[in-house]
Amino acid sequence: MRKLLLILALHPLLAIAQKGLQLVPQVLSSPDGEPAPVHPLPTQRQLEWQRTEFYAFFHYGMNTYTGREWGNGDEAETLFAPTAPPKPEQWLQTVKAAGMRGGIAVVKHHDGFCLWPTETTGHSVVNAAEGYGRETNIPRDFADAARRLGMKYGFYVSPWDRNSALYGTTRYVSEVFLRQCAELAQYGDDQFEMWFDGANGGSGYYGGKNTTISVDRATYYDVPNLRDSIHKVCPMCVLWGEGGEARWIGNEAGWAGETNWNTENRGYAPESNGMYGTEGGWCWLPGESDAKMTNSGWFWHEGEQPLSAERLFQMYLETVGRGATLILNCPPDRSGVLPAADVRVLQNLGKLLQARLTTDLAQKARIDASATRPKGATRSYETGMLTDGQIETYWAAPDDATQATLTLTWDEPQTLHYVMLQEYLRLGQRIRSFNVEYSADGQTWQPCATNIETTTVGYKRIVPLIGTTANYNRGVQALALRINILDARACPTLETLAVY
Ligand code: FUL
């Protein structure tokens, strides 16, 4: 008995219980002296997803042929009648030239029509118009094309189904929706995102009931089961929206907040907070901005026009350049290809991105830091890590610093347009505030980007030095440039610093 008492007294949990619950923060030191992480942190899957940055949305399906945006679900399958075989390879090739790294194809919209031969419903290409319609299998051809082109791919599958007679019952979830997702997972274990729309409009055909059905989208779709099942087959597939691994940016106009935290209080924060996220939120939930490249709907419509390449470039700066990803909708037409006018604009967008954001002038600058963390056993945190092109190396300040200045100096005056910063997100999002100054003579300093809210950095921040995303022309003439980090949740880290 005495022995037992002794064991109990030595047991650490018991010791805590005796003293009252005193949790002592445990800081594990790394042999490399890396900064302690600021939680929450991204999963590997989320990190790789964030690195996709810019990709396309392809809204194509029954609505392309009916001219609608939301089909009711009672459309005859034979209305799906492509005038030529749909060519996902042309879609992806075009957006690759525009600087995009992948795409998401809509394979089932709210009307329930499936663009692959599913076993879950007859409302699919199996019963489409004879010929090209019936031969269509978008998931198969889209995944094949993406692999050939070395691009990332995934599918949009609408949880809301205005065709299904089972919608609203548990059988719809287990026998239709989850099985459709499982079928789609079979088109490739290398998918990077599955897109689950939040729309649950209510009214629809529903197998002839022509009624209104409401569900609680937070609980109805068995998301935890869905997420586990998809991840078993597609380990790197982020479940967007209903799936809970990335958040809607809160608007469809192609902009994220200048202050944009990757953290959020999932389940409590309103979607209207999507632009900004929440500092100190309990989960990692990075923002994705969905926007259209045309002046009409998500699906192709007669007479629509693409926006200009300049406008799309600005959208890029206001989404990717503010730490969100951009999924830009490019709608294929009735012949199953992107129309010539859209292709031209996308080519021009690719040229703008190439001309304005690829020649990195930081590569030929001397970079000094006001303070740098001491070298570890195998790792250095010197400013050279900012420009080495390696995503797993980074510059970091010492533990006691939440402020630091990075100064770039050139031998000759330079014309500068943008500063690009990336935090080392494996250690969490840290920077709260910074500013940028330039010097024409290397002695006296002037503020630049003064109309820009220079707060968070996150995955990527592109700061237009002239203070607006709306035009490019002038730039800033400088012999030196400095970035002053003014406040951070813990000592700041930066994985990349580039200047264009
Ligand atoms: C919305 C949908 O209702 C639209 O039709 C479109 O698919 C868009 C991307 O998401 O919520």
Side-chain angles (χ1 to χ4, degrees):
M1 184 62 185
R2 240 207 237 149
K3 227 182 198 175
L4 181 67
L5 281 177
L6 189 70
I7 292 169
L8 286 176
L10 289 176
H11 193 278
L13 279 179
L14 196 77
I16 288 174
Q18 282 169 345
K19 277 202 247 153
L21 193 65
Q22 290 176 344
L23 290 180
V24 183
Q26 201 185 6
V27 179
L28 301 173
S29 62
S30 103
D32 275 331
E34 288 196 78
V38 173
H39 291 274
L41 304 178
T43 60
Q44 181 66 20
R45 181 187 301 129
Q46 288 171 314
L47 256 187
E48 290 188 19
W49 176 86
Q50 291 189 262
R51 289 178 188 144
T52 312
E53 294 188 11
F54 183 28
Y55 40 95
F57 224 166
F58 299 106
H59 275 71
Y60 173 73
M62 183 60 85
N63 293 334
T64 311
Y65 299 91
T66 59
R68 290 186 178 158
E69 275 290 295
W70 279 13
N72 190 45
D74 57 357
E75 295 78 14
E77 289 82 24
T78 48
L79 287 176
F80 183 74
T83 58
K87 285 205 182 66
E89 180 131 22
Q90 184 257 7
W91 313 352
L92 285 165
Q93 230 156 18
T94 306
V95 303
K96 188 175 183 180
M100 301 191 217
R101 298 182 180 159
I104 303 275
V106 172
V107 294
K108 174 197 170 192
H109 205 251
H110 311 328
D111 55 58
F113 185 76
C114 297
L115 295 179
W116 75 100
T118 173
E119 286 178 8
T120 59
T121 171
H123 198 52
S124 80
V125 287
V126 168
N127 294 311
E130 263 186 66
Y132 304 136
R134 276 191 203 175
E135 287 156 19
T136 297
N137 181 334
I138 296 295
R140 178 197 61 199
D141 296 349
F142 192 73
D144 284 353
R147 282 192 213 100
R148 273 197 298 278
L149 292 163
M151 297 179 80
K152 297 200 189 180
Y153 71 96
F155 305 116
Y156 167 121
V157 46
S158 172
W160 183 29
D161 189 323
R162 302 174 95 189
N163 172 264
S164 176
L166 293 175
Y167 190 73
T169 67
T170 51
R171 282 185 60 200
Y172 168 76
V173 178
S174 57
E175 293 173 28
V176 182
F177 176 59
L178 294 184
R179 278 179 62 195
Q180 290 176 341
C181 296
E183 285 180 0
L184 290 168
Q186 299 301 326
Y187 283 98
D189 58 10
D190 50 352
Q191 293 174 44
F192 88 107
E193 177 175 343
M194 216 177 250
W195 219 89
F196 299 107
D197 198 281
N200 278 288
S203 70
Y205 171 67
Y206 303 123
K209 289 195 276 249
N210 290 308
T211 183
T212 296
I213 299 176
S214 310
V215 299
D216 175 1
R217 67 178 165 119
T219 52
Y220 178 59
Y221 297 111
D222 199 3
V223 167
N225 179 17
L226 169 70
R227 201 163 40 218
D228 287 354
S229 309
I230 297 296
H231 287 162
K232 275 195 189 120
V233 185
C234 305
M236 284 303 160
C237 186
V238 156
L239 271 63
W240 186 90
E242 296 306 297
E245 295 185 284
R247 72 174 198 266
W248 183 42
I249 210 69
N251 68 74
E252 292 178 339
W255 64 275
E258 291 178 279
T259 299
N260 179 12
W261 292 96
N262 285 284
T263 46
E264 188 51 285
N265 293 313
R266 186 171 62 209
Y268 303 102
E271 279 189 329
S272 58
N273 196 49
M275 295 82 146
Y276 314 105
T278 299
E279 180 182 350
W282 63 268
C283 70
W284 193 265
L285 200 62
E288 178 189 79
S289 172
D290 55 330
K292 302 170 205 146
M293 73 158 294
T294 52
N295 64 353
S296 185
W298 291 98
F299 287 87
W300 177 86
H301 297 279
E302 197 83 59
E304 71 181 17
Q305 294 298 320
L307 306 183
S308 70
E310 283 291 353
R311 173 67 193 107
L312 297 177
F313 178 78
Q314 182 185 17
M315 219 183 245
Y316 177 93
L317 291 179
E318 294 182 357
T319 54
V320 177
R322 294 178 183 171
T325 63
L326 172 58
I327 177 166
L328 185 64
N329 190 58
C330 310
D333 65 13
R334 291 186 179 153
S335 65
V337 294
L338 300 183
D342 297 11
V343 172
R344 270 194 302 279
V345 165
L346 289 168
Q347 281 166 348
N348 289 339
L349 172 62
K351 285 181 194 150
L352 291 182
L353 287 167
Q354 179 73 29
R356 296 175 180 177
L357 292 173
T358 49
T359 310
D360 176 15
L361 300 169
Q363 296 286 337
K364 57 175 187 176
R366 207 185 79 209
I367 308 181
D368 298 301
S370 60
T372 292
R373 175 172 206 90
K375 205 170 177 282
T378 64
R379 217 180 231 290
S380 153
Y381 304 96
E382 296 294 327
T383 57
M385 304 299 122
L386 292 164
T387 50
D388 64 357
Q390 304 290 319
I391 51 178
E392 295 301 348
T393 65
Y394 57 97
W395 164 84
D399 275 341
D400 58 0
T402 50
Q403 300 191 329
T405 295
L406 293 162
T407 308
L408 297 97
T409 315
W410 289 272
D411 294 337
E412 306 283 325
Q414 308 286 322
T415 303
L416 311 178
H417 290 90
Y418 303 104
V419 164
M420 192 275 271
L421 302 169
Q422 293 189 280
E423 279 184 87
Y424 184 68
L425 291 186
R426 276 194 201 288
L427 296 177
Q429 186 173 357
R430 309 159 83 97
I431 297 173
R432 279 197 187 105
S433 168
F434 67 101
N435 66 22
V436 188
E437 296 173 301
Y438 75 100
S439 173
D441 55 9
Q443 310 287 323
T444 50
W445 294 91
Q446 316 276 336
C448 52
T450 43
N451 300 322
I452 304 285
E453 201 178 285
T454 42
T455 46
T456 52
V457 173
Y459 171 76
K460 183 173 267 196
R461 188 72 203 267
I462 305 175
V463 181
L465 299 177
I466 60 167
T468 171
T469 54
N471 64 59
Y472 179 75
N473 304 336
R474 292 174 287 131
V476 166
Q477 305 300 315
L479 201 55
L481 190 78
R482 66 187 186 195
I483 294 113
N484 304 302
I485 299 171
L486 304 172
D487 191 17
R489 286 168 63 78
C491 63
T493 71
L494 283 176
E495 188 257 294
T496 302
L497 160 58
V499 181
Y500 305 106

